[in-house]
Amino acid sequence: MATTAGAVFDKVFNWDGVGTASSDFTDVTLESQSPAGTSFTILNSTAHHLYLGHSSKFDMAVFDVDTAGSLGTLQYEYYNGSAWTEFIPASARYELDPDDNEGGQYDFSKDGAELFPANLLSDWATVAINSSTLYWIRISSPSSVSTAPTIKRIQMRPLAAYCTTKDVYELMQLKNVLSGTDFTSSTVPSKSTVEQYIYEAQSYIDMQTRKSWRPNYMANEYQQFNLNGIHLDRPDAYKILDLQIWNGANWDSKRQGRTKDYFLVPDTNLVHFSRYFLLPARFQSYNAPVWRWGGGEFTMPVKITYLYGRDIQTDVRQGGIIQDITKMIAATEISKNADFGGSVVSGMDRYDIGSRISGWERNIEETIDSLRSFEVF
């Protein structure tokens, strides 16, 4: 099984909060793309901003932290075509850990991810920042900066992760119907509409196959302690962001690594403990023997946050198949909702759209059936 990695941003800038000249921006794009690169500082002061930009829309950023930050409430903004607009990202909108009454906003205190749901940024538009016209999210800590975090790498998840709008355009062979080589903001359907079709196709594929070929974020999965290893609920986990064990009063964070407390084996989707734990009991008395599964008296005492999903680019067995059916699903929706004069172009012939849709739908159904995971309940 191939482990996954998110795509990288086209541009990552640190802005000093003063002006719009190139000298006011520090380009940290290359540093953000390589885990072996030099760590860089972000959000040095309350005036500073971190800019994340890409040529297509994205809905998640993943941060590998080198030095933990201590910041105030973070501010997230996007450009709506005329002004920068503040929004609340997904993790901060929900109480992800109701057991502790804790909010879920990512704060750069450790490795983690932040989500930007497409419905929150429905009027998201490109804008030129330091001569780069892209879709941007900018982040700041306007209330306080006690310790500025340093970052090793920043990855992202495109909104259209399984294929591009150009892939769909070429499948439908629309160059003789629409001008250009890809959907744009002025075509019918627009590029944004096609991106949404691709996004919906991805969700359908993930649901039907019970797998995923893009980075996904699982926050606070509760598990029973097991000395033989904990099997994570979501398949294809590739990075543990946090693992904590309940001590009866608080959650104790454990260290990752074979020489520390626990480690992940991606091929088996199992978290193993590097050493034995005698879990705390409710009372000061002899606890269960260490050889028993669990050991402690608390129910669901382990809480894990992690990233999961395959890499569509490196999955040589199924990645190409997933890309192919995603294009077909998106093309089917476009054909059902757009008027191309009753036919589509294929080589020197013209085929009835209804016949083409039927062929695509048969192919989609057969491929989904072959990819569907076997589950034992």
Side-chain angles (χ1 to χ4, degrees), residues 40-330:
F40 56 95
T41 304
I42 63 170
L43 306 180
N44 305 55
S45 73
T46 56
H48 285 211
H49 290 66
L50 174 67
Y51 280 84
L52 307 174
H54 199 65
S55 57
S56 59
K57 295 179 180 179
F58 52 92
D59 65 356
M60 184 168 75
V62 181
F63 302 94
D64 291 349
V65 173
D66 195 12
T67 301
S70 178
L71 305 169
T73 301
L74 297 176
Q75 183 179 72
Y76 289 82
E77 298 172 281
Y78 73 99
Y79 191 75
N80 67 3
S82 59
W84 287 97
T85 304
E86 184 177 1
F87 73 100
I88 300 175
S91 68
R93 295 172 67 86
Y94 305 103
E95 189 176 69
L96 294 181
D97 195 0
D99 185 43
D100 281 346
N101 297 315
E102 292 181 355
Q105 185 180 30
Y106 178 65
D107 59 3
F108 293 101
S109 63
K110 55 190 173 185
D111 292 352
E114 189 55 272
L115 302 169
F116 317 119
N119 63 310
L120 299 181
L121 286 65
S122 59
D123 55 351
W124 197 5
T126 60
V127 63
I129 299 296
N130 196 26
S131 302
S132 297
T133 302
L134 303 168
Y135 290 98
W136 294 95
I137 295 291
R138 70 180 188 184
I139 308 170
S140 60
S141 181
S143 60
S144 65
V145 175
S146 298
T147 303
T150 61
I151 304 296
K152 291 182 290 187
R153 179 169 60 168
I154 306 176
Q155 299 170 279
M156 69 94 176
R157 183 176 70 184
L159 188 66
Y162 289 179
C163 71
T164 66
T165 58
K166 186 176 181 180
D167 291 334
V168 179
Y169 190 95
E170 291 175 349
L171 173 67
M172 299 184 70
Q173 300 191 24
L174 293 175
K175 62 182 179 181
N176 293 329
V177 181
L178 303 173
S179 60
T181 59
D182 194 1
F183 297 98
T184 67
S185 58
S186 59
T187 58
V188 179
S190 67
K191 187 179 181 74
S192 292
T193 299
V194 178
E195 283 180 331
Q196 187 61 33
Y197 286 147
I198 294 172
Y199 181 77
E200 293 166 359
Q202 294 167 168
S203 296
Y204 175 76
I205 291 170
D206 289 3
M207 178 189 70
Q208 291 294 326
T209 64
R210 305 182 185 98
K211 304 172 187 175
S212 184
W213 286 263
R214 51 182 170 165
N216 295 275
Y217 177 69
M218 179 63 201
N220 300 329
E221 178 178 294
Y222 289 83
Q223 293 277 359
Q224 292 287 11
F225 187 85
N226 189 332
L227 286 177
N228 293 324
I230 295 174
H231 191 273
L232 298 174
D233 291 343
R234 301 298 193 274
D236 303 315
Y238 67 92
K239 182 174 183 179
I240 304 296
L241 297 174
D242 191 32
L243 186 149
Q244 301 178 62
I245 294 180
W246 180 248
N247 65 16
N250 300 291
W251 290 100
D252 292 332
S253 290
K254 299 302 178 182
R255 303 168 303 158
Q256 187 168 185
R258 283 183 178 269
T259 61
K260 297 176 183 176
D261 298 324
Y262 69 92
F263 59 93
L264 169 69
V265 179
D267 286 345
T268 61
N269 220 47
L270 282 168
V271 174
H272 293 278
F273 292 94
S274 307
R275 62 185 183 87
Y276 290 117
F277 285 103
L278 189 64
L279 296 187
R282 289 187 178 90
F283 306 101
Q284 296 298 319
S285 62
Y286 177 71
N287 201 7
V290 73
W291 48 263
R292 286 186 56 187
W293 287 11
E297 297 182 16
F298 298 107
T299 301
M300 296 293 185
V302 183
K303 182 172 65 174
I304 310 174
T305 297
Y306 58 94
L307 299 171
Y308 67 96
R310 301 185 180 191
D311 190 331
I312 194 170
Q313 301 299 326
T314 61
D315 186 351
V316 296
R317 296 178 59 191
Q318 298 178 343
I321 298 172
I322 294 301
Q323 184 184 46
D324 197 37
I325 63 171
T326 305
K327 292 187 289 185
M328 292 182 190
I329 295 172

Side-chain angles (χ1 to χ4, degrees), residues 24-36:
D24 296 311
F25 293 88
T26 302
D27 190 336
V28 291
T29 305
L30 290 179
E31 289 88 341
S32 73
Q33 293 176 350
S34 172

